[in-house]
Amino acid sequence: MPANLPPQYFEVERRLKTARTAQEKIAICEELLAIIPKHKGTEKLQAQFKSKIAKLRQESERKPAGAKHGLIGRVEKSGAGQVAVIGPPNGGKSSIIRALTGHEVEVADYPYTTRTAAPFMMPFENIQVQLIDTPPIASDFMENRLPEIIKTADTVLVAVDLGDPEAASSLEGVLAALKEKRIELVLQSRTIPPEKCPFLKHALLVGTKLDAEGAASVLDEIKVLFAGRFGMTAISTASGEGVEALRKAVFDLLKIVRVYSKAPGKKADLTSPFALKSGSTVMDMARAVHKDFALNLNFARIWNRGDHIEGLRVQRDHVLADEDVVELHL
Ligand SMILES: Nc1nc2c(ncn2[C@@H]2O[C@H](COP(=O)(O)OP(=O)(O)OP(=O)(O)O)[C@@H](O)[C@H]2O)c(=O)[nH]1
Ligand SMILES: [Mg+2]
């Protein structure tokens, strides 16, 4: 079958011959990939460019100088939790982050727009959650340092492009690529034993481009195929549908409680909660406030407007609930 390449392809291809650095070559190959018409006759050519890009990326990452120039590495944690947003090329990862954080994250209609992992803060009520935008994962390629980022993140969002009729297989491709790195994404309600901690990660699927043609049926298909394996929510960053629900879903995925410290006789500062792991006790709260509190803690009193609790006296091992106001007594 003829490839039928447009004239623009040959113009860009000429630049490839004179490109010197790996980064330049990668950028040109990506441009070519975006130009190549997608049909059976160009499958081989597309595959050649994908593998060329993969090799160039590995080559450029091997050079120590690369690290100084923004290649990805661990992202220092900040805020109440760290969430890696991962997924296939062009799947809408950066758009999710842009919608949730309001930052000018780079978004474009060609694959491999995001080259390096970068953190952005998402406000949720009175806390900030750190979202990491990441380079894409394809079944045959993943940035060298991406597995480390996923392992250190608290939890994971996986973008699923609902505008792509092949979304299910590209999701399987992402999961398979992670499996090769011994990372398994699991349902958020599953308990992860401590010894499996960096390798098993709670994840939520985020269907993107809900406004795209055929999105509703792709969403149904993914829900059926992955039922029991993952929870799923869907958004359109174009119309704004589902964005606020996703913000809350990210908070729920993190499994944290927000608790406020209060001094006896004074009001609690409800603007700056401590974010503790769900299941944390009064003792954990005391440790977070100050080590002396933990050493000398006697009991605590708790208020919770939602649960109609008023100054309830509790012991050190009492498990805290979201929005508890805690008065520590030494
Ligand atoms: N119609 C529509 N298009 C969307 C939506 N979200 C993202 N897009 C488009 O999808 C394309 C890819 O979006 P990105 O957010 O850059 O995707 P990405 O996964 O970060 O892409 P890479 O970084 O290249 O892997 C862009 O053209 C976006 O405008 C949406 O909700 N609706
Ligand atoms: Mg991106």
Side-chain angles (χ1 to χ4, degrees):
M1 195 186 275
N4 286 335
L5 297 167
Q8 195 195 356
Y9 170 89
F10 298 98
E11 279 167 34
V12 177
E13 193 196 36
R14 226 173 290 137
R15 283 184 7 231
L16 192 57
K17 296 198 177 88
T18 53
R20 282 204 261 142
T21 67
Q23 287 303 313
E24 270 177 80
K25 288 180 194 167
I26 291 170
I28 295 170
C29 289
E30 285 168 357
E31 224 178 301
L32 287 168
L33 256 184
I35 294 169
I36 297 169
K38 310 289 178 284
H39 56 69
K40 266 241 153 307
T42 61
E43 271 176 4
K44 205 168 158 198
L45 190 63
Q46 290 183 57
Q48 278 168 359
F49 276 112
K50 282 180 189 163
S51 94
K52 194 176 171 75
I53 290 170
K55 277 194 197 131
L56 283 164
R57 278 181 203 278
Q58 266 158 1
E59 195 184 298
S60 69
E61 284 197 12
R62 269 201 298 274
K63 292 179 189 153
K68 288 187 206 138
H69 297 290
L71 286 172
I72 60 176
R74 249 170 215 245
V75 177
E76 202 180 325
K77 289 194 176 184
S78 164
Q82 190 188 62
V83 184
V85 181
I86 65 167
N90 218 36
K93 303 175 292 301
S94 302
S95 300
I96 293 175
I97 294 186
R98 186 192 262 214
L100 291 175
T101 69
H103 286 282
E104 280 303 310
V105 186
E106 193 183 2
V107 165
D109 63 356
Y110 51 83
Y112 298 94
T113 304
T114 305
R115 313 278 187 88
T116 61
F120 299 91
M121 299 310 287
M122 174 191 91
F124 173 73
E125 296 180 357
N126 52 3
I127 56 165
Q128 298 276 332
V129 174
Q130 187 183 43
L131 305 183
I132 307 179
D133 193 11
T134 62
I137 301 174
S139 56
D140 57 349
F141 182 71
M142 185 180 343
E143 286 277 0
N144 279 345
R145 276 165 266 189
L146 195 46
E148 199 55 32
I149 286 179
I150 297 170
K151 282 191 273 177
T152 41
D154 296 313
T155 184
V156 177
L157 293 182
V158 190
V160 179
D161 185 346
L162 300 178
D164 176 9
E166 302 299 319
S169 73
S170 97
L171 174 56
E172 288 292 9
V174 168
L175 299 176
L178 292 174
K179 204 163 184 189
E180 267 188 35
K181 305 289 177 190
R182 300 198 297 143
I183 298 170
E184 193 188 341
L185 302 182
V186 298
L187 193 64
Q188 64 190 97
S189 56
R190 193 163 141 190
T191 307
I192 297 180
E195 70 278 8
K196 295 265 174 90
C197 228
F199 296 100
L200 284 192
K201 286 280 150 183
H202 288 134
L204 177 72
L205 304 183
V206 183
T208 60
K209 314 184 193 178
L210 189 52
D211 57 290
E213 210 187 313
S217 62
V218 176
L219 177 61
D220 286 345
E221 184 197 348
I222 302 275
K223 278 188 175 166
V224 169
L225 285 174
F226 293 86
R229 283 172 76 187
F230 299 108
M232 183 163 195
T233 185
I235 64 163
S236 162
T237 57
S239 72
E241 187 179 352
V243 172
E244 289 316 306
L246 174 58
R247 198 186 295 279
K248 170 76 166 72
V250 170
F251 174 73
D252 291 341
L253 189 63
L254 278 170
K255 298 195 169 105
I256 52 178
V257 289
R258 293 163 294 173
V259 287
Y260 310 90
S261 165
K262 167 190 177 316
K266 294 205 173 142
K267 282 198 166 177
D269 177 4
L270 299 180
T271 59
S272 54
F274 289 86
L276 303 179
K277 263 192 213 154
S278 173
S280 292
T281 61
V282 166
M283 192 62 182
D284 295 318
M285 164 89 178
R287 272 191 213 105
V289 174
H290 196 279
K291 67 177 185 331
D292 289 350
F293 276 85
L295 283 174
N296 302 314
L297 183 67
N298 188 5
F299 70 95
R301 285 197 187 279
I302 289 183
W303 285 256
N304 192 308
R305 261 207 307 204
D307 294 344
H308 307 290
I309 293 171
E310 288 268 336
L312 178 72
R313 185 178 164 137
V314 295
Q315 298 307 311
R316 296 149 65 124
D317 59 355
H318 175 84
V319 174
L320 296 165
D322 190 36
E323 301 278 34
D324 272 352
V325 171
V326 184
E327 193 177 85
L328 299 168
H329 289 261
L330 305 181

